[in-house]
Amino acid sequence: MAITISPQAQKWYQDNLELVPGDGIHFYGKVYGKTNVHEGFSLAFIKSKPQQPYYQVQYNGISYYYDDEDVWFFEGLNLAIEYDEQTDSPIYNFSED
């Protein structure tokens, strides 16, 4: 499992969530919605400093991660996060690991 985040998407998170080095974005699966590989579940996130992440990647001192209880949502998948200028928001794309 890998999380990759484009520089434009990183900037969106930093600007919109007022992130500073040491902060984190916790990704998790939530009921309702869908992704390109999940039916009935969608990706959610919250600004939160990581305590004991199961997986994390850092860009510019900011952690993007998920915890043990979120493994079911990410297992066997990679997550690529891009930025969409038209909607001014991140785009999430899962692919098999």
Side-chain angles (χ1 to χ4, degrees), residues 3-73:
I3 297 174
T4 57
I5 307 170
S6 73
Q8 297 87 350
Q10 293 170 42
K11 182 174 178 355
W12 184 91
Y13 285 113
Q14 290 171 12
D15 293 349
N16 287 279
L17 301 173
E18 300 177 357
L19 299 174
V20 296
D23 284 341
I25 298 295
H26 175 194
F27 292 106
Y28 59 96
K30 69 174 189 165
V31 176
Y32 301 115
K34 67 177 186 171
T35 71
N36 63 304
V37 296
H38 302 95
E39 276 296 324
F41 298 95
S42 59
L43 182 69
F45 65 86
I46 187 169
K47 179 180 174 180
S48 177
K49 293 184 189 289
Q51 300 302 312
Q52 293 183 313
Y54 181 86
Y55 174 88
Q56 77 174 333
V57 62
Q58 288 192 344
Y59 294 97
N60 302 316
I62 298 166
S63 294
Y64 299 86
Y65 69 97
Y66 63 91
D67 290 334
D68 290 343
E69 65 266 10
D70 309 307
V71 171
W72 67 271
F73 189 77

